Each structure stands twice: as C-alpha cells, then as structure tokens.
Amino acid sequence: QVQLVESGGGLVQPGGSLRLSCAASSNIFRIYTLGWYRQAPGKQRELVATITSDGRTNYADAVKGRFTISRDNAKNTGYLQMNSLKPEDTAVYSCYVTNVIKTYWGQGTQVTVSS
C-alpha cells in the first residue's frame, strides 16, 4: 500500500505560479510512473502530466510550456510546477502513481486562479 499526500494548492492571481508536491509513503514510488490529473466543477477529469521512473515526461496540450512535472526519487516526492496560471487552470489537482497493475491516488488539492 502506498499513501500519497499532496500539498501546495491555494489561491493565486492569473499569471502567478504554484508548485504542487506529492509525497509518497513508500520507496515503491521510485519505480512507478507519477502523474497529475485535474478536475474542474462540471468538467471531465483531465490528465495534466506524467513522468516515468526514468524521467520521461508527457503533458496535456493545455499546459505545455507552462507546467513542469518532476520527481525526486531520493525523497519519494513528485512535483508539478505551474507557471503563467490562467483562470481555466482552476481545479482539484490529484497525483497518482502506477505500474499499470496497481494505481494509488492522493486526496487532491484545490488550485484556484482568480483576481
């Protein structure tokens, strides 16, 4: 069993930045793919970014060039650096780790982009 705890969400003005963290309770984190989803009210869940255990990344078109996913396997922690935030980025952001057979989820953290 792996527990994931997200942090770093909050309220930010358009154009601002936030960094989300996803801390895992197990070293299994190091061999799993890490990803972030988001879900806005009334909208479908959207895959934001993924990073494999060896560092290969993939991003949704909506966040390319603005968001950066990374991981520190020594700390069993993943990150989502979000720059140039827009109101449409407002959502609950959830991290997960997976090896395809098993997937573990965090509880989610609210990100609100508003002036």
Side-chain angles (χ1 to χ4, degrees), residues 60-72:
D61 287 344
V63 306
K64 279 181 182 176
R66 299 188 299 122
F67 290 12
T68 302
I69 189 171
S70 62
R71 63 193 300 160
D72 185 339

Side-chain angles (χ1 to χ4, degrees), residues 15-29:
S17 298
L18 283 175
R19 188 176 81 156
L20 305 183
S21 298
C22 176
S25 62
S26 167
N27 288 342
I28 287 178
F29 171 87

